[in-house]
Amino acid sequence: MELASKYDPSAVEGKWYQYWLEHGLFKSTPDGREPYTIVIPPPNVTGVLHMGHMLNNTIQDILVRRARMLGKNACWVPGTDHASIATEAKVVAKLASEGIQKTDLTREEFLEHAWDWTRKHGGIILEQLKKLGASCDWDRTCFTMDEQRSDSVLKVFVDLYRKEKIYRGVRMVNWDPKALTALSDEEVIYKEQQGKLYYLRYKIEGEDGYAVVATTRPETIMGDTAMCINPNDPKNRHLHGKKVIVPLVNRVIPVIEDEYVDVEFGTGCLKVTPAHDVNDYMLGEKYNLPAIDIFNDDGTISEAGEIYIGMDRFDVRKQIVTDLSAAGLLEKEEDYTNKVGFSERTDVPIEPKLSMQWFLKMEELAKPALEAVMDDTIRFYPAKFRNTYRHWMENIKDWCISRQLWWGHRIPAYYLPEGGYVVAETAEEALQLAREKSGNPELTVSGLRQDEDCLDTWFSSWLWPISVFDGINEPDNEDIKYYYPTNDLVTAPEIIFFWVARMIMSGFEYRHQPCFYNVYFTGIVRDKLGRKMSKSLGNSPDPIELMDKYGADGVRMGMLLSSPAGNDLPFDEALCEQGRNFNNKIWNALRLVKGWAVSEDIAQPGSAKVAIDWFGARLSAAIRQMNDELDKYRISEALMTVYKLFWDEFSSWYLEMVKPAYQQPMDAVTYKATLEFFDTLMLLLHPFMPFITEEVWQSVTLRKPGESIMITRMPDAGNKNDELVADFETVKQIVAGVRSVRLERNVPNKEALVLHIVSGKHREAYNSVIMKMCNLERIEPAEKDVTAATFMVGTTEYAIPLGSTVDIEEEIKKMEEEIRYLEGFLLSVMKKLGNEKFVANAKPEVVANERKKQADAESKIDTLRESVNKLKG
């Protein structure tokens, strides 16, 4: 097979991905093997690939490909999320650009537009994942609003309602005035904002004096229905039992007393606006205060506000401050920093609002889900996220699951003409229940009105590990029994509450088992300045352009080179270049090996046999190390282990040791072993870099049609030989010592040298390798020649006779510098060993290691002093 002179990812990656698809190598069906299952965190159906997706899906692909190569039946289920708020916003914007308002359309007409949008944009991100190399079983692709998933969601809603875990009621919710919907607490992001604290004067009824209130939101005074003071606050005791007048509105409101009020904040007087503040709402409930909702859904002032009707809330803030000041009712303003809640989706400040919504009781659902993580039934990587999870689960609130949107799963509640409602999976079932409830057998479906709201998007994705195998509709089907519980989840820590916790809850509620056993949290991809990558900042590279430039393998490697679990990833495009360079290194090594002539007639050199024994032992150690790292989800470290093995050990040492002399053939035994090593290295690298490894693996040896590296068993570690690996580190130091002498003395590589063993131990078994790598005539024990260049390896002294080319003064100077360095090093070791606490408390092997350092340093110092004395002669 003719190998191209340069590795070209564009000629390789598409070819092999198509090959894998054509031979059905990603497909999985239940069989007798151990299953390995991952469900993809479903990206938004209208989304495109960003750097976070790249990192997340690269890690998933590594885990799936490795499991497949370990002989497991690996199943990676892909899919997309309907993303209610994001998708509806995009459809509304698209319609607006065509001069169509959502309010001009019926629900059915709007949904037709939404489905058109989804069909047009819905497959983009999944196609992009294929370019990355994602080995998903594409035949299993799911969508959170496809028929099976939709049926599952409605079935679960009805079930939880009948278990009295879902209820409907007026509660204070987080309202998004841009998306025009309620949000759950988890969809609110709190940001520090530089604002103002306004001190407002409320006239005391029947008196000349004023009570002063400090507030950050003067625009809500139209909704004030009380003032509250702390009964233990002496400075406001004069307000006990009084009434005050709301500025500008002139509404008379009572002064109530509650220990909730912080006497240190502002003046100790609190304006109470039950319809627009969570804490004020609780005070309103406690003291039976009226709630005046002064906002329309879009954040403008409603008729109930009486003044500023139709103005935006933030415009009102500016205007009311001017008007209060003009009326002499603004005492002062102060700069003030506070945390303001923003909508996670639309990035506008949320408005606390009383609203009729649907809620899911969480306390009972949370208990088994909390226990499973705290007792390590489900493990988090890194484990630090257990505390974050525990804190949230122990303080969990009921989940507001309704959204005032049309795109999504419509709530299956049906209202009767005379009041009340029923909950059912279908309109037909609802009609039957409604007839029973009303006692009216003449009632028809047209007489029922279905709830207008949709369910929170997360209410479908919390079922994902079960619903992708249809385990809600068909709880005993073959797929769910075989593939569930899934093995690993790879996700971002920012959705630990939105998604991870809720999936764990649904798993215990509907399967009485964990939905997965391990959760790997990726870091956030940041730029070189530490900023989160985002479209708005313009600091996020296009992943497709990166893959076109560096190849998918190069980008995968670049993402992994600096992304330990849970830590942020400081992404630098230079890392992708490093990945591409590694591709080239692999390709050039293949071309070198495949370019060697091979002879069956020549014997194997001793140096080649030693090299094969050593690299076999080194390979075995690396496999053990890599397996350990992957078992601990230290994925970046595992890649570095095999990267260094190939670059440093195989290319820089092994290939140099076995390389035949110029224009000479290689013996067949060594060549066969070298191809086998190459084969094994590609197997180890394949999960990380699937494309180049398939190309190389197919080129190393002739393969049959349908064969693939991705379904070849991962190599076992084999026999351990740490002694040989350690011995060879000494060999490397000897070779490095000789090469340093050549460099310092300008001795050409083609000039053969002699290596003398002056003192200490030397293993002759490795002489053939040392002689070949250093171009030596011989290695022999000898007395030190004053003209020789010397170096130390451990406590063994070596010398290379150089005759008259030695500068004795320079040699003495170098040795004395080395002695000074070693004396400083010895001093630090002795200081440590002189510390009784260290010797008493450190592990015995640590103390023994320090004593060895002492002995080695002392031996080297003695040898060097002896050499200096001889040279000074």
Side-chain angles (χ1 to χ4, degrees), residues 455-627:
L455 285 160
D456 180 5
T457 299
W458 298 103
F459 194 85
S460 53
S461 47
W462 81 314
L463 305 172
W464 191 244
I466 306 172
S467 66
V468 295
F469 299 114
D470 205 22
I472 299 292
N473 300 317
E474 301 288 343
D476 294 318
N477 78 72
E478 189 183 8
D479 274 5
I480 193 77
K481 288 196 289 185
Y482 180 75
Y483 292 114
Y484 188 96
T486 69
N487 295 75
D488 298 326
L489 176 76
V490 180
T491 189
E494 55 261 40
I495 56 172
I496 190 170
F497 310 129
F498 285 129
W499 196 44
V500 179
R502 290 168 178 167
M503 280 192 290
I504 296 171
M505 290 185 227
S506 75
F508 283 105
E509 180 69 14
Y510 286 102
R511 300 298 301 177
H512 312 294
Q513 285 177 292
C515 47
F516 33 69
Y517 291 112
N518 304 289
V519 183
Y520 178 102
F521 290 106
T522 61
I524 294 168
V525 185
R526 298 189 181 276
D527 65 14
K528 286 186 278 188
L529 301 176
R531 301 174 303 173
K532 184 176 179 179
M533 284 191 169
S534 68
K535 278 189 285 187
S536 57
L537 284 175
N539 63 344
S540 182
D542 181 338
I544 301 299
E545 288 177 12
L546 281 178
M547 288 191 280
D548 286 342
K549 187 174 179 181
Y550 299 106
D553 286 332
V555 178
R556 286 168 69 118
M557 185 168 177
M559 296 291 292
L560 288 165
L561 281 174
S562 58
S563 60
N567 293 332
D568 289 354
L569 164 65
F571 181 77
D572 186 340
E573 200 170 310
L575 295 170
C576 295
E577 195 169 347
Q578 191 177 337
R580 181 176 64 187
N581 292 344
F582 187 41
N583 276 335
N584 293 335
K585 183 78 172 176
I586 294 167
W587 191 250
N588 290 337
L590 177 68
R591 291 185 72 240
L592 173 72
V593 172
K594 295 297 279 186
W596 289 335
V598 182
S599 171
E600 298 279 351
D601 302 326
I602 57 174
Q604 183 184 41
S607 58
K609 185 178 187 316
V610 171
I612 290 166
D613 289 346
W614 162 71
F615 191 73
R618 185 67 193 80
L619 186 60
S620 172
I623 292 171
R624 279 195 302 278
Q625 183 181 344
M626 187 177 121
N627 285 341

Side-chain angles (χ1 to χ4, degrees), residues 172-173 175 217 219-224 271-281 290-296 299-302 304-305 350-354:
M172 180 69 69
V173 297
W175 186 263
R217 302 201 64 198
E219 69 274 15
T220 62
I221 63 171
M222 295 87 80
D224 290 357
K271 65 189 269 319
V272 183
T273 319
H276 299 295
D277 181 274
V278 174
N279 298 311
D280 291 6
Y281 172 68
I292 304 171
D293 185 350
I294 65 162
F295 288 122
N296 294 315
T300 56
I301 303 298
S302 69
I350 60 106
E351 197 59 62
K353 183 178 171 71
L354 281 175

Side-chain angles (χ1 to χ4, degrees), residues 194-477:
Q194 301 299 318
K196 297 280 186 185
L197 194 57
Y198 302 94
Y199 288 76
L200 314 184
R201 292 174 174 168
Y202 287 60
K203 191 172 188 314
I204 303 170
E205 189 186 37
E207 296 182 18
D208 291 336
Y210 290 88
V212 178
V213 167
T215 180
T216 58
R217 302 201 64 198
E219 69 274 15
T220 62
I221 63 171
M222 295 87 80
D224 290 357
T225 55
M227 178 182 285
C228 191
I229 59 172
N230 191 312
N232 305 315
D233 183 3
K235 67 180 182 290
N236 285 314
R237 198 165 284 150
H238 66 288
L239 295 172
H240 174 75
K242 303 286 178 69
K243 292 185 178 180
V244 293
I245 300 168
V246 179
L248 302 183
V249 185
N250 297 323
R251 181 186 306 121
V252 177
I253 57 174
V255 175
I256 60 174
E257 297 178 40
D258 195 282
E259 291 184 350
Y260 162 74
V261 177
D262 180 0
V263 297
E264 301 298 324
F265 178 78
T267 61
C269 294
L270 177 79
K271 65 189 269 319
V272 183
T273 319
H276 299 295
D277 181 274
V278 174
N279 298 311
D280 291 6
Y281 172 68
M282 290 191 283
L283 283 172
E285 291 275 287
K286 188 173 179 179
Y287 294 99
N288 202 27
L289 299 172
I292 304 171
D293 185 350
I294 65 162
F295 288 122
N296 294 315
D297 287 350
D298 62 358
T300 56
I301 303 298
S302 69
E303 299 277 347
E306 299 182 28
I307 52 177
Y308 310 114
I309 295 165
M311 282 180 69
D312 180 78
R313 55 189 170 152
F314 296 116
D315 294 334
V316 173
R317 183 178 297 177
K318 292 174 194 166
Q319 186 60 48
I320 203 167
V321 168
T322 303
D323 295 348
L324 286 164
S325 183
L329 298 173
L330 178 67
E331 183 151 301
K332 63 176 177 175
E333 296 177 29
E334 291 176 352
D335 289 333
Y336 187 69
T337 302
N338 67 330
K339 288 197 168 181
V340 176
F342 282 74
S343 165
E344 189 238 357
R345 282 290 174 200
T346 62
D347 200 35
V348 299
I350 60 106
E351 197 59 62
K353 183 178 171 71
L354 281 175
S355 181
M356 177 69 80
Q357 301 289 342
W358 292 88
F359 296 86
L360 174 58
K361 295 176 184 176
M362 299 298 275
E363 192 176 350
E364 196 181 320
L365 289 169
K367 284 175 186 171
L370 175 58
E371 284 169 20
V373 171
M374 299 322 291
D375 68 13
D376 280 340
T377 300
I378 297 171
R379 291 180 182 269
F380 284 180
Y381 297 88
K384 66 181 180 182
F385 289 110
R386 290 169 85 238
N387 290 332
T388 314
Y389 178 86
R390 187 194 68 212
H391 177 75
W392 185 72
M393 294 291 269
E394 287 177 347
N395 297 279
I396 200 161
K397 295 176 184 173
D398 287 355
W399 176 9
C400 176
I401 56 173
S402 46
R403 297 290 179 272
Q404 287 61 57
L405 301 166
W406 282 351
W407 175 246
H409 299 102
R410 193 170 179 181
I411 289 174
Y414 297 81
Y415 298 95
L416 280 62
E418 64 274 20
Y421 62 88
V422 294
V423 170
E425 289 177 47
T426 64
E428 292 73 28
E429 188 188 345
L431 178 61
Q432 187 182 335
L433 292 172
R435 283 174 174 171
E436 290 170 13
K437 186 167 185 169
S438 64
N440 177 7
E442 305 303 317
L443 194 61
T444 62
V445 170
S446 60
L448 300 178
R449 179 178 60 83
Q450 189 175 350
D451 197 301
E452 291 292 319
D453 289 353
C454 276
L455 285 160
D456 180 5
T457 299
W458 298 103
F459 194 85
S460 53
S461 47
W462 81 314
L463 305 172
W464 191 244
I466 306 172
S467 66
V468 295
F469 299 114
D470 205 22
I472 299 292
N473 300 317
E474 301 288 343
D476 294 318
N477 78 72

Side-chain angles (χ1 to χ4, degrees), residues 783-801:
E783 291 290 320
K784 189 188 294 184
D785 178 345
V786 291
T787 66
T790 61
F791 61 90
M792 303 283 294
V793 174
T795 56
T796 304
E797 185 179 12
Y798 293 93
I800 299 173

Side-chain angles (χ1 to χ4, degrees), residues 825-835 838-839 842-858:
F825 174 74
L826 182 59
L827 199 64
S828 69
V829 173
M830 295 305 290
K831 193 175 176 185
K832 202 181 274 189
L833 289 170
N835 181 335
F838 168 75
V839 174
K843 289 180 180 176
E845 59 267 30
V846 173
V847 176
N849 191 41
E850 291 302 311
R851 294 202 196 283
K852 185 176 184 304
K853 286 181 188 175
Q854 175 194 349
D856 286 355
E858 286 171 346

